[in-house]
Amino acid sequence: DSGVTQTPKHLITATGQRVTLRCSPRSGDLSVYWYQQSLDQGLQFLIQYYNGEERAKGNILERFSAQQFPDLHSELNLSSLELGDSALYFCASSGSRGSSYNSPLHFGNGTRLTVT
Amino acid sequence: AQSVTQLDSHVSVSEGTPVLLRCNYSSSYSPSLFWYVQHPNKGLQLLLKYTSAATLVKGINGFEAEFKKSETSFHLTKPSAHMSDAAEYFCVVSGGTSYGKLTFGQGTILTVHP
């Protein structure tokens, strides 16, 4: 058990809809990362938050947004959903108080999003 | 800029035989390198990491990897495969940014035959 919790495990929704994915990081970890994993694109980095602030942005679409709350949990919001957004979305956390860029990531089990 | 290439998308071995998963990287900085494993319907689990200490890194479940700067490689090996090793393996490079945007390889699916 990585200590990272993601909810829900599965989500099925229709095109055009909006969903929210939730992540609770490992206790003490300040950084939260969001990744999208699809068959054709592999594992793609979306965005990182560190202690409530956005730190790095990857291949995240404008229809997607995220935030990290004071209790350090994070939410990824996906709107105007398209069929191509169907994927496994992972949250990961790293770095306790002495966070460095060499800290390994601890991944949750992911949320499988299916857009129909 | 950094990138990572996993040279084999699929590797198939028999139980009890050695495993070799190949990874080459490119980085403008002194990289940190990781191997992660993903079992079906699970998140990624860290196997091992290299962060400029010993070039031969030992990880969990009997895996190890050797950092070879001259070859820009970080191949993952295990002397004897077990059925439970069947999974997808990701080579990952990190470096050059303060807050660690990792670059993942495309993954290698390891199949272990009885």
Side-chain angles (χ1 to χ4, degrees):
Chain A
D1 182 11
S2 68
V4 178
T5 303
Q6 288 187 249
T7 56
K9 290 185 180 179
H10 302 276
L11 203 47
I12 302 174
T13 189
T15 54
Q17 295 298 306
R18 171 191 168 95
V19 296
T20 297
L21 281 54
R22 195 178 191 280
C23 170
S24 293
R26 219 171 51 128
S27 178
D29 283 357
L30 298 177
S31 277
V32 170
Y33 303 74
W34 285 98
Y35 285 84
Q36 179 194 58
Q37 186 178 38
S38 60
L39 285 175
D40 54 344
Q41 296 286 337
L43 203 63
Q44 297 283 319
F45 168 71
L46 295 179
I47 196 165
Q48 179 207 353
Y49 279 81
Y50 177 79
N51 202 20
E53 294 186 2
E54 181 185 305
R55 280 298 183 180
K57 236 175 182 178
N59 301 323
I60 187 166
L61 300 172
E62 286 190 7
R63 300 183 286 109
F64 296 180
S65 65
Q67 53 184 329
Q68 186 179 27
F69 295 86
D71 67 352
L72 300 178
H73 92 270
S74 178
E75 292 181 355
L76 178 67
N77 300 297
L78 314 176
S79 62
S80 303
L81 284 169
E82 301 174 0
L83 295 177
D85 297 327
S86 296
L88 196 52
Y89 291 84
F90 285 108
C91 167
S93 71
S94 78
S96 53
R97 290 176 186 171
S99 176
S100 76
Y101 69 88
N102 292 328
S103 299
L105 299 185
H106 302 271
F107 282 81
N109 285 339
T111 293
R112 183 170 295 282
L113 173 66
T114 303
V115 182
T116 61
Chain B
Q2 59 194 30
S3 66
V4 60
T5 302
Q6 290 183 242
L7 298 170
D8 307 292
S9 59
H10 289 82
V11 170
S12 181
V13 301
S14 298
E15 191 175 21
T17 64
V19 175
L20 170 64
L21 305 183
R22 298 182 295 165
C23 171
N24 286 350
Y25 70 91
S26 171
S27 177
S28 303
Y29 307 89
S30 295
S32 293
L33 294 157
F34 308 82
W35 276 98
Y36 283 83
V37 61
Q38 184 180 23
H39 291 276
N41 299 315
K42 294 289 187 182
L44 283 77
Q45 180 187 17
L46 179 67
L47 274 180
L48 49 82
K49 66 175 181 177
Y50 165 78
T51 54
S52 73
T55 56
L56 183 61
V57 182
K58 293 189 183 299
I60 62 172
N61 300 334
F63 284 93
E64 62 183 34
E66 185 171 8
F67 174 72
K68 291 187 177 180
K69 186 174 181 179
S70 61
E71 299 176 11
T72 61
S73 69
F74 190 57
H75 301 334
L76 181 70
T77 60
K78 182 173 180 178
S80 176
H82 191 273
M83 296 295 292
S84 62
D85 295 328
E88 188 163 16
Y89 293 79
F90 292 91
C91 182
V92 184
V93 62
S94 170
T97 59
S98 299
Y99 291 95
K101 187 186 82 170
L102 304 183
T103 301
F104 283 75
Q106 287 295 94
T108 298
I109 295 173
L110 176 65
T111 302
V112 182
H113 298 288

